[in-house]
Amino acid sequence: MALLKVKFDQKKRVKLAQGLWLMNWFSVLAGIIIFSLGLFLKIELRKRSDVMNNSESHFVPNSLIGMGVLSCVFNSLAGKICYDALDPAKYARWKRWLKPYLAICVLFNIVLFLVALCCFLLRGSLENTLGQGLKNGMKYYRDTDTPGRCFMKKTIDMLQIEFKCCGNNGFRDWFEIQWISNRYLDFSSKEVKDRIKSNVDGRYLVDGVPFSCCNPSSPRPCIQYQITNNSAHYSYDHQTEELNLWVRGCRAALLSYYSNLMNSMGVVTLLIWLFEVTITIGLRYLQTSLDRVSNPEEPESESEGWLLEKSVPETWKAFLESVKRLGKGNQVEAEGADAGQAPEAG
């Protein structure tokens, strides 16, 4: 028994074809939107690629770009099919290709749904990428004279100013690395010598942060050195007083920014996916109703259209049997090839 059977006369078939033609061209615009979203996300990730550890984060934008291009191609073709469906002579050229085309459309919708899910599920991978990338970027902050790393100081400073953040997880991350270049240290100073000697790795560590960690909204002049030394500043207690530094770490700030961006793109992609599924269902009804016209020379006659020719369990069973037959056919061909090679070897 056919699933979701609907009766169509000529008037209904014409309206269905015209409606699908219009919907397909709207879907071409939707494909352009998906492509634009992927391109925008890729550009945003490229801007901060210096503080990202690997290229895995580009999977989502690359997928969106690819699906946007495919959406434009498939829906342009579907629009042409729906236009030709109004003319029996033109439709005859497409008739044998419609089933494979619908199968490709179903596969496209499955992949599009998975891409939309990836927009929501890649937060963990992005968090690890940002954490390691920011850690490396902070480590190279002082290398302003090293080729290939001389830009890192500006990158980190601009990042902290733009996203109002400090360090990887917080401002205390700067206490654990030497972020001041040796070029700007006075090695004849007793303080500098004592600090370097007191460190196992011979690094100059201070309880200070770069200027880009300062919050300009604070009424007090920025305290960026000797942050944990209460006696170094008048009327100051770093444990009780709200510091005039950005408290949030840059990993959390960037993760929040990119997560909100990808969540919004995921919602848009899911809405477009629903639209694409609707078009695919409409195309299936159009194909089955046109194929079941009893007399092609009398286009005004009624016909039936359906989503599946059999019930869901029967369709699934038939699909599994066809897969098994295909596997057995490949096995027989392989055995025949082996049998043909045996006499030659003899």
Side-chain angles (χ1 to χ4, degrees):
M1 183 179 177
L3 181 67
L4 299 177
K5 189 186 294 184
V6 179
K7 283 191 175 183
F8 290 90
D9 55 18
Q10 186 190 20
K11 188 177 180 181
K12 285 184 178 179
R13 288 194 296 268
V14 169
K15 284 187 176 180
L16 178 61
Q18 289 175 340
L20 287 172
W21 177 83
L22 186 61
M23 289 174 70
N24 274 293
W25 287 111
F26 275 121
S27 198
V28 170
L29 296 177
I32 294 172
I33 291 173
I34 292 177
F35 177 86
S36 303
L37 290 175
L39 191 62
F40 174 74
L41 181 58
K42 192 172 184 69
I43 291 171
E44 286 297 301
L45 290 170
R46 285 277 185 186
K47 284 181 183 178
R48 286 136 199 134
S49 59
D50 298 324
V51 293
M52 292 186 177
N53 192 38
N54 54 43
S55 58
E56 289 179 8
S57 53
H58 289 271
F59 172 76
V60 171
N62 290 340
S63 300
L64 289 172
I65 290 171
M67 297 307 291
V69 172
L70 290 176
S71 177
C72 292
V73 173
F74 288 154
N75 287 292
S76 299
L77 183 59
K80 174 64 175 171
I81 292 172
C82 294
Y83 182 80
D84 289 347
L86 300 174
D87 186 347
K90 290 182 178 179
Y91 175 74
R93 295 180 302 176
W94 296 103
K95 189 173 181 179
R96 63 173 181 167
W97 298 107
L98 269 178
K99 274 191 177 180
Y101 175 78
L102 284 170
I104 293 172
C105 286
V106 170
L107 182 62
F108 170 79
N109 287 327
I110 292 171
V111 175
L112 185 61
F113 179 73
L114 293 176
V115 170
L117 286 183
C118 286
C119 292
F120 298 105
L121 299 177
L122 285 183
R123 179 185 172 93
S125 174
L126 185 62
E127 185 174 8
N128 295 332
T129 298
L130 286 169
Q132 191 60 43
L134 283 166
K135 188 176 179 181
N136 293 335
M138 290 171 62
K139 187 167 63 176
Y140 301 140
Y141 182 89
R142 62 174 179 165
D143 296 341
T144 52
D145 298 326
T146 305
R149 299 177 187 171
C150 55
F151 60 88
M152 192 56 74
K153 178 183 180 300
K154 180 181 177 182
T155 300
I156 296 293
D157 283 333
M158 294 301 295
L159 180 70
Q160 294 188 145
I161 292 171
E162 181 181 355
F163 287 91
K164 300 179 179 179
C165 58
C166 185
N168 189 352
N169 299 308
F171 68 91
R172 291 183 180 273
D173 293 337
W174 289 107
F175 299 176
E176 301 171 4
I177 62 170
Q178 180 181 339
W179 54 272
I180 302 174
S181 173
N182 289 338
R183 180 181 178 182
Y184 304 106
L185 293 177
D186 182 8
F187 286 95
S188 62
S189 169
K190 185 177 182 301
E191 181 192 353
V192 173
K193 288 180 181 179
D194 291 343
R195 281 190 179 275
I196 293 175
K197 286 179 181 180
S198 64
N199 185 263
V200 177
D201 299 324
R203 294 179 298 170
Y204 181 75
L205 304 182
V206 293
D207 56 342
V209 295
F211 77 97
S212 52
C213 283
C214 296
N215 182 357
S217 301
S218 174
R220 182 169 188 158
C222 185
I223 297 175
Q224 64 181 107
Y225 293 105
Q226 296 184 327
I227 295 173
T228 58
N229 186 0
N230 295 333
S231 61
H233 312 283
Y234 176 74
S235 184
Y236 174 75
D237 186 350
H238 75 279
Q239 292 182 339
T240 59
E241 186 176 346
E242 183 178 351
L243 299 176
N244 50 9
L245 305 173
W246 302 120
V247 179
R248 187 168 64 159
C250 289
R251 177 167 62 171
L254 283 171
L255 186 63
S256 174
Y257 172 73
Y258 284 121
S259 295
N260 291 336
L261 205 60
M262 287 197 290
N263 288 343
S264 302
M265 291 181 180
V267 171
V268 173
T269 307
L270 278 178
L271 293 174
I272 293 173
W273 170 76
L274 289 173
F275 193 64
E276 293 283 357
V277 169
T278 305
I279 291 174
T280 304
I281 292 172
L283 281 172
R284 175 61 174 168
Y285 275 113
L286 182 65
Q287 179 244 334
T288 52
S289 63
L290 288 172
D291 287 351
R292 296 297 166 180
V293 173
S294 56
N295 187 0
E297 295 179 359
E298 295 181 6
E300 295 182 2
S301 59
E302 286 190 349
S303 62
E304 291 182 340
W306 54 75
L307 198 57
L308 292 175
E309 192 171 359
K310 301 176 182 178
S311 64
V312 175
E314 290 174 345
T315 303
W316 179 249
K317 188 177 179 180
F319 172 74
L320 292 178
E321 288 177 356
S322 63
V323 171
K324 286 179 182 178
R325 284 197 301 269
L326 183 63
K328 287 180 180 178
N330 292 335
Q331 186 177 0
V332 169
E333 288 178 5
E335 289 175 355
D338 292 340
Q341 289 176 0
E344 291 177 8

